[in-house]
Amino acid sequence: MISFLRGTVAHVGLSTAVIDLNGAGMSVFATPQTLSHLKVGAEAKLFTSMIVREDSLTLFGFADDDEREVFDVLLSVSGVGPRLALAVLAVHEPEAIRVAAHTGDGKAFTKVPGIGPKVAGRIVLELAGKLVPHGTGTGTAAPVIATVEWKPQVVAAMTSLGWSEKDAAGSIDKAMADSPELVDDGNVAQILRATLRWLGQDGARAGNRVGTRG
């Protein structure tokens, strides 16, 4: 595994750069922000993530280790490949992605080209607990968020998954009646998971979803 590259910038393109490592040119895909800081002829260091396919080895480069970490976690979401993960980092800073994942803000991900409400909802659901904003230690309780703040975020995440706002709000209320401790904590990700679990307890509840479902 190649963790980083340090060498002379030989070329900077629209989506890739070539780093000269003592005569060997390594091509790396990167965000426009990262590429904008590379200058041909100057030395550069890029943290990298290697994607191995049957017919290719592709390197993705990042300005720092935090960007690479967020990129790797995004790849754990079903349906999110390296190009889409890189597109997310092209639109949002790593900390903004952490906050969106932690608070269940699916709308933040729909700002990325190629990500619609369904994919955004899946990202929020699968990233819950995986990305935490810096400063939120594992041994520190999450700050209490008032209902007026967390409920719209949970409703938005559920509507992106296919429920109507009315049915989403009603399901949240019923699920939270069984888990009042989650209301006190106000953790969006936990409330979303608990509501989806509550809905899954009875297959008939799936009928609350609007539109056509596969």
Side-chain angles (χ1 to χ4, degrees):
M1 179 178 178
I2 301 175
S3 297
F4 69 86
L5 299 176
R6 187 195 298 274
T8 303
V9 179
H11 172 75
V12 179
L14 294 177
S15 59
T16 62
V18 176
I19 307 298
D20 184 344
L21 305 175
N22 297 321
M26 301 290 288
S27 181
V28 184
F29 285 90
T31 65
Q33 297 94 314
T34 297
L35 293 170
S36 69
H37 289 93
L38 301 179
K39 306 298 180 184
V40 174
E43 184 177 277
K45 177 181 179 180
L46 292 177
F47 291 85
T48 57
S49 180
M50 178 180 286
I51 305 300
V52 180
R53 297 285 187 260
E54 290 184 0
D55 58 350
S56 66
L57 296 174
T58 308
L59 278 176
F60 291 82
F62 309 94
D64 55 48
D65 197 43
D66 191 35
E67 281 191 354
R68 179 177 61 183
E69 180 184 353
V70 171
F71 175 83
D72 288 339
V73 174
L74 284 169
L75 292 181
S76 69
V77 177
S78 57
V80 175
R83 301 301 176 89
L84 193 55
L86 198 66
V88 174
L89 281 164
V91 174
H92 296 296
E93 294 289 333
E95 186 67 6
I97 297 171
R98 291 177 180 278
V99 171
H102 188 63
T103 61
D105 183 8
K107 290 184 178 179
F109 293 103
T110 61
K111 296 178 181 179
V112 179
I115 295 182
K118 289 185 179 179
V119 176
R122 189 187 312 134
I123 291 174
V124 167
L125 180 61
E126 295 189 25
L127 288 187
K130 293 183 179 180
L131 286 177
V132 179
H134 290 304
T136 305
T138 55
T140 304
V144 175
I145 304 176
T147 301
V148 294
E149 295 180 7
W150 65 254
K151 189 170 184 179
Q153 295 176 20
V154 181
V155 169
M158 291 187 64
T159 55
S160 71
L161 290 171
W163 277 271
S164 69
E165 289 189 8
K166 179 180 178 181
D167 288 332
S171 297
I172 293 168
D173 290 340
K174 292 174 182 178
M176 290 305 96
D178 296 336
S179 306
E181 71 281 0
L182 295 182
V183 176
D184 294 335
D185 290 341
N187 186 294
V188 172
Q190 291 182 3
I191 292 172
L192 174 61
R193 287 198 298 268
T195 302
L196 293 176
R197 284 198 300 268
W198 182 87
L199 285 165
Q201 289 174 3
D202 183 350
R205 290 172 183 160
N208 287 340
R209 301 175 81 168
V210 296
T212 303
R213 298 287 171 263

